[in-house]
Amino acid sequence: MSDHAERGRRWRLVLGRYADDGLGGGLSATDADLDTALGFVFDREYGSRDLLTSGTGAGRSSQGIAALTWLARSKELFPASTLERLQASAIADYGITELLRDPEVAEQLEPTPELGAALLATRGRLDRGTEEGLRRIISKVVEQIVERLRTSFRNHLTGRRNRFRRSQQKVRQNFDWRRTIAANLRNVDPETGKLLVSDLRFNSRERRRLPWHVILCVDQSGSMASSVLYSAVCASILASLPGVEVTLLLFDTRVVDLTHLADDPVAVLMTAQLGGGTDIASVIGLAASKITNPRRTVVTLISDFGEGGSVSQLMRRVGELNGQGVTLLGLAALDEEATPSYDRRVASMLADRGMHIAALTPDRFAEWLAEVMG
């Protein structure tokens, strides 16, 4: 196929079946299947703009496809990364709620963090008929994330390293390179001078004696869906660790104390109501009222720092906590991408008053907590 024809083919698939009149030419059987699968989602864009009467629509119609058929065929046609974006867009952007209404379809959706965040972001626009499917998917997403993160949090936070006692737990943060070198000196290759390592040594970890209080202040404004998802999971893991007390506060223009649900991330996420404004000063004020031992307390603010309340009051409260010896962490993002969009002016002002600002993946957050609590 010539470059010109290939470009025409790609534009045809991008623009949909209503572009046939302008682009001309037919589609192969495979491309027609792609077109039908894409049309199931994106033809709704034409409908939202009252453009469905234009064009002859020579491609296969997608209007009569059942959600289950679409999902099964899409799994065959698209790579996993594309399917993840497609199913998230179908629900969050185009309101294709039949994907959640049909238990069989909901069961077969790929439970990815991207889909979980999309569902949380659009939850307020979904009706009650989708609640069972929504809970099923959120539960699967949470289960996968917990399974992946639990070990990392426990390894980082259940104790400090004991350099004098060897451990059989072979994890990166416990690696003892000095003893490893000493144990393998006899394995130096005389010809190359390289050390051949066959005996790896690791430090053990001791349990902390004094408890820490971790207060998570989680912004549930609309832009924070992914961070809310991971915050709920992190709170549940922290709540299960010995020597760690967790307080979980969700906020927008109001503050909701969900500490009693901290060990149940699905319940937290089904309770969260994403959207609305942001009043950080209020949540910091409530967090301050729950502190009994400032030097054993970590207040973690997870937000885009777009303060809609009193900035001066926020700065005063953060400065007071810093003066009391509270450890203050500010996360502009807490998800796998760690690519934040946030108010840099407010973040800089918070940093000037003693709050450490970062955007982190959950694994790195666990490591950071271990450092400040060490």
Side-chain angles (χ1 to χ4, degrees):
M1 182 181 292
S2 67
D3 289 344
H4 177 75
E6 176 61 16
R7 283 196 298 271
R9 167 186 171 271
R10 288 176 176 270
W11 274 112
R12 166 60 184 78
L13 289 171
V14 168
L15 296 174
R17 60 196 177 96
Y18 300 100
D20 271 342
D21 285 349
L23 293 175
L27 293 174
S28 68
T30 299
D31 283 347
D33 284 342
L34 287 171
D35 188 51
T36 301
L38 293 170
F40 178 81
V41 178
F42 299 112
D43 277 0
R44 296 161 203 255
E45 185 72 23
Y46 289 101
S48 68
R49 301 183 185 186
D50 296 323
L51 297 175
L52 286 176
T53 57
S54 64
T56 60
R60 299 183 190 179
S61 172
S62 60
Q63 300 305 307
I65 300 177
L68 185 60
T69 302
W70 172 79
L71 184 60
R73 192 71 182 108
S74 294
K75 288 183 177 182
E76 298 173 357
L77 291 168
F78 301 107
S81 58
T82 301
L83 178 60
E84 290 170 10
R85 292 194 296 272
L86 195 59
Q87 66 183 13
S89 184
I91 297 171
D93 299 330
Y94 295 101
I96 306 178
T97 56
E98 54 261 45
L99 296 177
L100 298 175
R101 290 177 181 279
D102 186 331
E104 192 174 355
V105 178
E107 187 67 30
Q108 293 191 36
L109 285 169
E110 293 297 324
T112 65
E114 182 178 11
L115 178 59
L119 289 175
L120 291 175
T122 195
R123 179 171 170 261
R125 304 194 300 272
L126 299 176
D127 59 50
R128 297 183 65 85
T130 64
E131 184 134 348
E132 183 180 347
L134 176 64
R135 180 179 288 275
R136 181 181 293 109
I137 295 168
I138 292 295
S139 296
K140 287 185 176 182
V141 172
V142 165
E143 183 180 353
Q144 289 184 4
I145 298 175
V146 169
E147 186 66 26
R148 184 170 53 79
L149 293 180
R150 183 189 290 116
T151 300
S152 177
F153 270 78
R154 285 181 174 172
N155 287 340
H156 280 106
L157 292 163
T158 53
R160 61 182 178 81
R161 285 187 295 176
N162 181 346
R163 300 185 183 279
F164 303 101
R165 187 157 59 90
R166 186 178 177 183
S167 172
Q168 299 302 316
Q169 189 173 20
K170 299 179 180 180
V171 292
R172 177 177 59 82
Q173 64 269 24
N174 290 350
F175 181 61
D176 187 338
W177 62 270
R178 290 185 178 87
R179 293 192 182 205
T180 296
I181 292 175
N184 290 275
L185 285 176
R186 64 182 182 279
N187 297 333
V188 175
D189 187 329
E191 295 184 4
T192 64
K194 293 182 178 180
L195 181 67
L196 305 178
V197 177
S198 61
D199 183 5
L200 297 175
R201 299 297 178 93
F202 296 84
N203 297 309
S204 67
R205 300 178 75 86
E206 294 179 337
R207 290 188 180 275
R208 294 186 176 88
R209 297 293 190 269
L210 296 177
W212 277 88
H213 186 189
V214 178
I215 304 177
L216 296 173
C217 305
V218 184
D219 185 344
Q220 62 172 350
S221 58
S223 62
M224 299 296 294
S226 290
S227 293
V228 171
L229 172 61
Y230 282 98
S231 296
V233 171
C234 291
S236 71
I237 297 173
L238 288 169
S240 71
L241 299 179
V244 179
E245 176 189 354
V246 173
T247 295
L248 178 61
L249 307 176
L250 267 61
F251 71 97
D252 41 40
T253 54
R254 301 171 302 163
V255 184
V256 181
D257 188 342
L258 294 183
T259 302
H260 62 292
L261 298 178
D263 61 348
D264 187 348
V266 176
V268 169
L269 294 172
M270 294 300 291
T271 302
Q273 295 288 343
L274 271 74
T278 307
D279 188 349
I280 307 174
S282 291
V283 74
I284 294 297
L286 181 57
S289 71
K290 296 181 177 296
I291 296 172
T292 56
N293 186 347
R295 296 194 177 278
R296 302 292 294 183
T297 300
V298 180
V299 173
T300 301
L301 171 64
I302 303 167
S303 174
D304 59 8
F305 308 125
E307 176 63 300
S310 171
V311 174
S312 60
Q313 188 177 60
L314 169 61
M315 298 306 154
R316 177 177 59 80
R317 288 177 175 174
V318 168
E320 290 173 352
L321 291 180
N322 182 51
Q324 295 168 15
V326 175
T327 300
L328 299 163
L329 308 180
L331 297 183
L334 179 63
D335 56 40
E336 296 301 334
E337 301 300 325
T339 51
S341 174
Y342 64 101
D343 189 319
R344 296 180 182 275
R345 181 183 69 88
V346 173
S348 177
M349 295 170 68
L350 289 169
D352 289 342
R353 285 156 180 79
M355 181 175 286
H356 305 281
I357 306 294
L360 299 175
T361 63
D363 287 313
R364 183 65 185 94
F365 176 50
E367 188 175 346
W368 199 20
L369 276 178
E371 291 171 0
V372 301
M373 291 162 60

